[in-house]
Structures are given as C-alpha cells and as structure tokens.
Amino acid sequence: MDTLVIVVIITALAFDFTNGFHDTANAMATSIATKALRPRVAVAISAVLNLVGAFLSVQVAKTISSGLVDDAQITPAVIFGGLVGAILWNLVTWLVGLPSSSSHALFGGLIGATWIAAGGDAVNFATVVTKVIIPAIASPIIAGAVAATGMFLLYTITRRAARRRTREGFRHGQVVSASLVSLAHGANDAQKTMGVITLVLITAGVLGVDSGPPLWVIFTSGLAIALGTYFGGWRIIRTVGHRLTKIEPQQGFAAETSAATVILASSHLGYPLSTTQVTSGAVIGSGVGKKLSEVKWGVAGRIAIAWGLTLPAAAAIGALAGRVAISGTAGVLIVAGVLVALATTFYLLSRRNKVDRHNVNDEPVSPPKPKPKPSVTSRYAR
Amino acid sequence: MNVPWGDLGTVLMAALFLGGGVIVLYAVGVRVLSPADADGESTGRPSPLRIAITSLCFAICGAAVGYGIYTLL
C-alpha cells in the first residue's frame, strides 16, 4: 500500500472516532441528565453497543456517497479532502457544544472535494436536495411530533401514579431505549467509514471491484467509533441533556423511544435520517409535549443554524483540503499536518473550559447580579 | 426532482403508531404498577393482577425492541 492509501485509512478512522464522540449525546445525553446511568457507565454501554452495531450489517458500506456525487470521480485524494472537511467541522461544533450531523459533515466534505477536483457536473444537486436538505428539515419535525405526542399521552396516563415508582420505572425504560439508539447508531454510522476505507482499497487495487469490507475494516471501524463514544463528547451531552430543556426520566424515555423508532423506521424503508437531528428533535418534542415554555428556543435556534451551516461549511473546508491534496503526496502530507495542528489547537482550547464526566450535570452558572446601592430614601427609612 | 414525500409520510405514521404505541404501553404498565393515594404516594405493593398486566405490557414493549434489533440485520 502506498503512503496516500495509508494516510486516507488513518484519516477515515480519525473521522470515525470524532463521529463516535460527537454522537455519544444522541443516545446517552438524556440518561446522563436524568441520572438513570452514571456518566462513565452510560458511555461505556453506548461504546459496546456501537461496536456490536458495526457488525450487524454492511449494506450502507457499499455506497459511501449515496449518489450525491459521481462515484467514478472519487479518488483517494478527494476522499481525503472530504474527510478533513468533516473532521474539522465535527471538531468546531464539538468545541462550541452543538450537536450537528456527522453524516452531513462527511457528505459536505465529499461534495466540496469532488466539486473542486472534477467540477460541478460531478455533484448531483437534485440528490443533495432530496437526500440531505429535505430530510434535514423533516427529520427533527417528525421526531419532535412523535415525542410530543408520546409525552402528552404518557403524562396523561401516569398523572395519578405513585411519583417515586413512576420515575424509577421510566429510568429503566429510558436505559433500554437509549441502548437501542446506540445500537442503531453503530450499525449506520460505522458503515460509512467501512465504505470509505473499502473504496480506497478498491481504487488502490488491494481489493477487487464490488468487494465488501474485509473483517479487519469492519473491526477497526467499529473499534474507532466505540473508542470515540467512550471518550464521550461531554460538551454536546451537556447541551442536549441540560440546555435544550429540563429533562425528567419520563421525557428521556419518550425522547429516546421516539428517536429509536424514527431511526429504525427510516432505515428499514431505505431512507436514512441523521441520528443527531432525530434525537435533538425528539428532545425538543418531549419538552413541547410537557410544557411549551420549558424549551429553550434560543439554544434550539443555535442548533438549527449549525445544522444549516454543516453542509456548506464542511464542503468549503473539504474543497480547500481537496485542492491541496490532489496536487500529490506532498499536498496530502501538508493537509494532514494542518489537520493535526488544528485538532491539537481545538483540544487545547477545550481545556480552558473543561467539560467532562465530573461536571457534565452541573447547572449552568449565571453571573451574579450586582447588589443595588441603597438609595437616599431607603437610608432615611432605616 | 423526485422528493419522496410518501416515504417521509410512511416514516411519520410508522413512528407515530409504533413509537407512540410503545410509549403508551410502557406508561400503562408503569401506571398499573404504581397505585397511589391522593398525594401521589405509593399505596403499597401492587396486587398480582396488576403485576400480570404490567408484565404483559412490558413483554410487548420488549418484543417491539427485539423487532427493532431484527430490522437492523
């Protein structure tokens, strides 16, 4: 294998790692917020289920771009540029604690890199609209509607039940539904990395045309996403678990069950939706179903802006990285060096305001209000 | 441009009936298992009939989870 192939495989596994820690919140943020599970236990369960999920199916791995770009135009350098765009956008959104779609970041990166390498004709814009943009708008609405309806019915049914036992019951249910989301996430998202690595191996002549992913590719992809999940994107977990709405076990159960159903139903019908958008929509829906005013719409608006920016931002970074990478091995190594430097910078910036398993459930601290100076009249009144 | 509105509608209806159904069944199970007085405090151990109804509800929810895992294969 030549240097470029090895660099692309390592970069694909790095993307898989960021995909894991970026998306831990999808399954486990609500369970951590309601203290149904201790943070470390939650991410460990999610990591194991992501690894198991990676072995369940390889159907998605056979097409990495889902028809968004002309697969014949994809070269290892283009894939590398796309991966760099996706990784950097994942890191930026992680740093500011916003749950954005890793799949859309990968698609955006690939679109940008393909466009710069092969021209606009190589990008299927109609498919981008039907497979990315419309689902991005529809998926949180569908998940939110299901969660809001479920939450309303749930509260109506359990209004007169024993409070403590009810909370315990929904905590257990929440763990099961969150675990199902983790399994579905591993089954869907790990396959994208398998697809990337398999395609690179085919273009390098290591595998035959129409080959599926070899076992070592399945295992390393599953392991990378599981490790990323175990490290936990604590910043995004805090946003989804605490900053969108105040989550109780009943809400967590309704949100995760709705998310799991929407993800599984759409995957079964061959219409994959973003796990991140589905889960965020479900959490918001569970807040709406309980009490409309409990949703922090300012935070929800920031998340929606991040979703809107994901595709073009990752495409811009992917195009830039792809432009340098297609110039040859030296270009690839330069882009790899810049990627490592920027990733290190983001990590160091995150250390200034560290969020981890110890403080992920801390309430946001609001600045203290200044004490009003006693007025002349109040002084005389004393 | 061929927007698959039909698929999205199917996802919505399937999720509403299946997801909503599991939520309602589980809520019924929890409700039956948690008899309370007017203050929302537990009124003691649930009767065998209540335990049986709850078990049935939870078993159906468990079967739904199993079917969900099956669809991933």
Side-chain angles (χ1 to χ4, degrees), chain B residues 42-73:
Chain B
S42 175
T43 54
R45 287 179 62 84
S47 65
L49 178 64
R50 284 176 178 271
I51 292 172
I53 294 170
T54 299
S55 301
L56 180 65
C57 291
F58 287 179
I60 297 170
C61 292
V65 171
Y67 179 71
I69 294 170
Y70 170 74
T71 63
L72 288 171
L73 300 175

Side-chain angles (χ1 to χ4, degrees), chain A residues 235-266:
Chain A
R235 294 167 176 276
I236 302 173
I237 290 174
R238 185 171 64 175
T239 301
V240 177
H242 288 285
R243 298 198 165 166
L244 268 175
T245 184
K246 184 172 169 46
I247 296 177
E248 293 177 349
Q250 290 91 325
Q251 281 172 279
F253 172 75
E256 294 297 343
T257 304
S258 307
T261 318
V262 172
I263 292 163
L264 293 174
S266 62

Side-chain angles (χ1 to χ4, degrees), chain B residues 4-67:
Chain B
W5 296 114
D7 287 352
L8 284 173
T10 309
V11 170
L12 174 64
M13 296 316 288
L16 263 178
F17 282 104
L18 294 175
V22 168
I23 291 170
V24 165
L25 264 177
Y26 194 84
V28 168
V30 171
R31 171 69 187 91
V32 171
L33 199 63
S34 315
D37 59 19
D39 297 328
E41 294 301 320
S42 175
T43 54
R45 287 179 62 84
S47 65
L49 178 64
R50 284 176 178 271
I51 292 172
I53 294 170
T54 299
S55 301
L56 180 65
C57 291
F58 287 179
I60 297 170
C61 292
V65 171
Y67 179 71

Side-chain angles (χ1 to χ4, degrees), chain A residues 330-345:
Chain A
V332 169
L333 292 176
I334 289 169
V335 174
V338 172
L339 174 64
V340 170
L342 285 172
T344 308
T345 306

